[in-house]
Amino acid sequence: MTRRRGLSALVCASVLALGLTGCGSSGAKNANGGSGAVVLRFAGSTQGAGYPTPFAAVRGPGQLLTTFMFDTLAFPDVTGRPKPWLAQSWQESADGKTWTFQLHPNATWQDGKPLTSADVVFSFNYDLHGAGQATGVGQGIHYIRSVTATGPHTVVIELKAPEASFLSDIAGAFGVAIIPQHIWSTVTDPAHFQGPRSLIGSGPYRLKTFDLSTGSYDFVANNGFYLGKPTVQQFQIIPENDPLIALQQGQLTSASTSNGVFPQAEFNLLEKSFKLLTAPGEFNEALFFNLAGGSPYNQVNFRHAVAYALNRQDMLGRLADGRGVVGSAGGLGPDNPYLDNDVASYPYDPAKAKTLLDQLGIKAPPGTAFRTSPGGTPLTIPLLTSSADIEQAQLVQQYLRAVGLNVQITSVDQATSDAADASGHYKMAVVHFGGLGSDPSGLIQRFASYSKSKSFTRVTGYRDPAFDRLATEQATTVNVAQRKRLVDQMQVLLANDLPEMPLYIPEQITFVNAKVFHGWAYTPACPPCGVGMNKRMLVTGSTTPVATSSPTSP
């Protein structure tokens, strides 16, 4: 089995160290205040990231690129929780419906114009009611009633009701990007707006050059950044066939296992020379069922039969060397504080899978290998996958054929796969995505029948009134213990209804040269950040959590 590369390749980071060959500029002495330029290199995603604006970026790696140029009101630190950034502080009203943000008074756009509360108001309204809404960027914040400016640096956001996920929605790793009104106010098609002006933000880095065809990006520091001169003055994202080999050859100083097969001998060798960082996985491989796709996909016992037929532990061992866990049918990751470990788990049981299929009338005629529909007609199960997930799809095919289901794979490029998943043009599909450690509001976007999400991560055809009621109630429940009880019930329903079967969640594993840069750390709820692409760490060079002694800051 070959080593897998896909979404997580973006997190295979490298720092240019003094004396290393093949890494461009050699002026770096250290990344924490020493003399000389600091250059970091990151292995680019093997999948297209789209154009690097908040409205055209594709998937997590593409969205991550935009965070370096475009700021949000707050931004996560090493704890994964939003901490002051563009907003110096904020206050929440007693009823939880009014939030008042105080902006940094020295914030400016990268073209030198001042950033004011008017830009923040414009940005939210553009996403919710303006041209931006067509791109879906505001789909998760429709609970906002109004956004107003009460002073040049004061913004008040009114909610229709208290919202438990509000701060993470607007100021998590992929929150609401604040865009310059003087540029975007005349843009009527933001998904196709390109050129130098489209890349002007207020963030700590400027995009100097890039090549979408190769996935190459060269970022340089914005030394007029309102929070101070960034520690890391330059970083590059470049095509890299094998970051781990490059690490061993001395060309890089950080590399990830890329969620794939990694021989133990090589693992042991690297561990002798580099610092090992690990974290529970937040990226998963999953099997989607289209519940609007007719029989048998809309039959819960068929979905249960498929689940029992899948040897997910074997899949984890073959494709990730056993480093990780099989996915929870409740839809959350292993380190998510809202994870319910007591939901239905579907251990490998091919005999039970066969019994369930027999009970549905999906049986194999004597002397034949594959089962037919109850009426006796041939049954072929089409399985959609992207080329990045072909190995996962082939194993699903193998497991299901072992219980008599004739699975036929259709493999397409990532963009085509994502589009088909988003539009529901599949019967069953293997899909990969991250965010399983994020706020459980993500379950609403993926599974609630009233979700306005246009994402490829939304399962088609799932409708459960009980789930919808729980999803609505938990969203406005700010008491953590009470909310967890509601989210637990949501996970129980998902595990029983099984609109999606999580396959496995690989552990996050990265080797780093800690002598070169001290800002290495995983950021919970931001899988594409890896250990080196959280802009807060790049700016400060530190992984120390942000102190929040002020009562106005969370």
Side-chain angles (χ1 to χ4, degrees), residues 507-522:
E507 183 181 20
Q508 299 182 83
I509 301 172
T510 304
F511 295 94
V512 303
N513 184 339
K515 296 178 181 179
V516 176
F517 181 59
H518 302 313
W520 304 114
Y522 283 107

Side-chain angles (χ1 to χ4, degrees), residues 118-165:
D119 293 297
V120 177
V121 172
F122 169 79
S123 299
F124 275 87
N125 287 334
Y126 192 81
D127 290 357
L128 286 168
H129 313 296
Q133 66 178 323
T135 67
V137 294
Q139 62 193 13
I141 56 171
H142 286 282
Y143 53 76
I144 292 177
R145 184 183 301 279
S146 65
V147 183
T148 57
T150 59
H153 301 107
T154 304
V155 176
V156 176
I157 300 179
E158 295 279 354
L159 310 183
K160 298 173 183 176
E163 191 73 24
S165 63

Side-chain angles (χ1 to χ4, degrees), residues 284-413:
N284 84 145
E285 297 281 351
L287 180 65
F288 282 19
F289 299 93
N290 185 342
L291 277 68
S295 180
Y297 314 101
N298 60 0
Q299 295 180 287
V300 67
N301 280 347
F302 173 78
R303 301 193 295 274
H304 287 180
V306 169
Y308 283 117
L310 299 174
N311 193 340
R312 296 184 293 154
Q313 199 65 50
D314 175 66
M315 181 179 285
L316 176 66
R318 291 201 204 186
L319 302 184
D321 282 331
R323 300 184 180 102
V325 297
V326 296
S328 166
L332 297 180
D335 205 38
N336 194 306
Y338 285 88
L339 174 68
D340 182 355
N341 285 306
D342 294 325
V343 301
S345 59
Y346 305 97
Y348 178 55
D349 191 340
K352 189 167 186 176
K354 292 177 181 179
T355 297
L356 288 170
L357 292 171
D358 287 343
Q359 291 172 351
L360 290 169
I362 302 175
K363 300 179 179 181
T368 62
F370 295 122
R371 296 172 181 265
T372 63
S373 298
T377 58
L379 176 63
T380 299
I381 307 295
L383 180 63
L384 177 70
T385 183
S386 72
S387 54
D389 298 320
I390 189 62
E391 291 177 333
Q392 287 77 6
Q394 288 170 341
L395 284 179
V396 169
Q397 180 186 54
Q398 174 184 318
Y399 302 142
L400 296 186
R401 286 189 169 186
V403 298
L405 292 175
N406 184 17
V407 174
Q408 298 295 328
I409 296 173
T410 298
S411 178
V412 296
D413 62 77

Side-chain angles (χ1 to χ4, degrees), residues 236-310:
Q236 298 168 347
I237 298 171
I238 57 176
E240 177 55 64
N241 290 331
D242 197 323
L244 289 164
I245 290 179
L247 173 66
Q248 292 169 293
Q249 293 175 341
Q251 297 174 0
L252 308 179
T253 53
S254 171
S256 163
T257 57
S258 301
N259 295 341
V261 173
F262 190 55
Q264 187 63 43
E266 189 177 357
F267 190 98
N268 294 340
L269 179 64
L270 284 170
E271 199 170 8
K272 292 180 181 179
S273 303
F274 300 93
K275 181 178 180 180
L276 172 64
L277 296 179
T278 64
E282 298 188 33
F283 162 95
N284 84 145
E285 297 281 351
L287 180 65
F288 282 19
F289 299 93
N290 185 342
L291 277 68
S295 180
Y297 314 101
N298 60 0
Q299 295 180 287
V300 67
N301 280 347
F302 173 78
R303 301 193 295 274
H304 287 180
V306 169
Y308 283 117
L310 299 174

